[in-house]
């Protein structure tokens, strides 16, 4: 039975005609050959099988959001929680093969939560050099009566060659409102005044508190249970890939990595086992043809959370 949604609910939906049209765009085990061009494509199939069709040293940037070590239903496909040893074994089935798809000067980011992050670290250290661990604050989450509510997730940052990799820190500056403006000789110190408020551009740290989880009033929202926001992935893509580079996601989900790559002028490729999620990804890619906006990112900078009104005023002033 189709969900009943509020009038202003913008969560993605598909018509029957759209499903037929979008399905024709997918690459599958039946349509793939070793000579198939996978650039800017969505591949529907099991990651272990589909990786064989991805050329080695294919991607400038790989973003991985694998199933965490939790029992979770992904549109009828359930991933079951297991012991740390068995989860380590699960990672070893596919992670080394994924790393072969990374260019010698490429970068890789892998997402996880507190429960699986140590397993991710162990898996990555066997193949790559870890440069950092980003922790980002989840804006929402269920409370826990007998434990602390989980309000954080990790993203491991690793490279093949620590002496040769791309990183553009100026592409991921953060614009924050100045709460206590400090002046020297009557002039702002490290911040700027405007009619819309006082702001400071700051360098990003490895703790991100400006991420909003997609929700029903956002056009990027889908019914995927663990969807990452476009703003989150935009930071990774802008920092660690050049325009025209290739972003690869072997657990594409509802398509965020591919969609953001397209919006930011990169090539993309993603693998996803669930056909429904692949269709959502393709619909979002079609939408990106006409709308390249990323909520929380404008004027070449990332804005802090709950600053949408300031962003609109800034954009409005530039039009006049």
């Amino acid at each position: 039975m189709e969900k009943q949604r509020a009038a202003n609910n913008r969560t993605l939906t598909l018509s029957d005609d759209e499903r037929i049209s979008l399905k024709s765009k997918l690459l599958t085990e039946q349509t793939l050959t070793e000579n198939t061009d996978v650039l800017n494509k969505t591949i529907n199939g099991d990651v272990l099988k589909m990786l064989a069709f991805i050329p080695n040293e294919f991607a400038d940037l790989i973003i991985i959001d694998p199933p965490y070590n939790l029992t979770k239903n992904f549109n009828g496909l359930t991933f079951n929680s297991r012991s740390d040893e068995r989860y380590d074994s699960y990672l070893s089935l596919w992670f080394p093969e994924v790393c072969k798809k990374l260019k010698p000067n490429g970068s890789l980011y892998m997402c996880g939560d507190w429960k699986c992050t140590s397993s991710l670290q162990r898996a990555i250290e066997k193949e790559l050099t870890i440069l950092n661990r980003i922790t980002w604050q989840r804006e929402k989450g269920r409370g826990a009566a007998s434990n602390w509510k989980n309000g954080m997730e990790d993203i491991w940052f690793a490279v093949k060659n620590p002496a040769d990799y791309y990183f553009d820190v100026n592409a991921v500056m953060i614009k924050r409102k100045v709460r206590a403006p400090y002046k020297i000789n009557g002039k702002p110190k490290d911040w700027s005044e405007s009619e819309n408020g006082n702001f400071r551009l700051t360098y990003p740290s490895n703790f991100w508190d400006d991420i909003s989880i997609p929700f029903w009033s956002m056009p990027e929202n889908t019914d995927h249970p663990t969807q990452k926001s476009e703003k989150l992935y935009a930071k990774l893509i802008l920092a660690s890939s050049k325009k025209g580079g290739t972003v690869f996601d072997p657990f594409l989900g509802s398509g965020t990595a591919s969609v953001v790559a397209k919006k930011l002028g990169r090539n993309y490729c993603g693998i996803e086992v669930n056909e429904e999620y692949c269709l959502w990804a393709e619909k979002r890619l079609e939408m990106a043809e006409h709308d390249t906006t990323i909520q929380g990112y404008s004027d070449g900078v990332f804005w802090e959370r709950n600053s949408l009104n300031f962003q609109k005023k800034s954009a409005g002033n530039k039009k006049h």
Side-chain angles (χ1 to χ4, degrees), residues 15-81:
S15 68
D16 290 340
D17 287 343
E18 283 178 320
R19 290 179 190 281
I20 295 171
S21 173
L22 296 171
K23 187 174 180 179
S24 67
K25 296 184 176 184
L26 304 181
L27 296 179
T28 66
E29 189 175 5
Q30 288 71 42
T31 60
L32 277 166
T33 71
E34 60 180 15
N35 297 318
T36 302
D37 184 4
V38 297
L39 198 65
N40 298 323
K41 298 293 185 180
T42 303
I43 302 173
N44 179 204
D46 179 78
V47 65
L48 290 174
K49 294 181 179 178
M50 298 300 103
L51 280 172
F53 298 100
I54 307 295
N56 288 342
E57 300 185 358
F58 167 76
D60 298 278
L61 172 62
I62 295 177
I63 300 175
I64 311 176
D65 185 19
Y68 297 177
N69 195 5
L70 302 166
T71 297
K72 181 74 69 174
N73 186 327
F74 294 98
N75 195 45
L77 300 175
T78 300
F79 185 89
N80 292 305
S81 175

Side-chain angles (χ1 to χ4, degrees), residues 189-242:
K189 179 174 172 55
D190 299 328
W191 56 275
S192 59
E193 291 180 294
S194 76
E195 60 184 75
N196 299 320
N198 303 324
F199 296 93
R200 174 184 290 115
L201 278 179
T202 64
Y203 282 95
S205 73
N206 61 354
F207 173 67
W208 298 352
D209 61 355
D210 62 321
I211 303 300
S212 295
I213 301 295
F215 53 93
W216 57 269
S217 65
M218 296 167 64
E220 70 184 84
N221 192 54
T222 74
D223 283 323
H224 193 286
T226 61
Q227 182 180 349
K228 299 297 187 290
S229 77
E230 292 186 4
K231 183 180 182 182
L232 182 73
Y233 278 13
K235 293 190 177 197
L236 309 180
I237 291 170
L238 285 168
S240 293
S241 70
K242 298 177 183 179

Side-chain angles (χ1 to χ4, degrees), residues 298-312:
S298 62
D299 299 328
V301 295
F302 290 91
W303 293 68
E304 63 186 330
R305 189 187 293 154
N306 301 324
S307 62
L308 186 59
N309 288 335
F310 294 109
Q311 296 175 52
K312 289 179 178 178

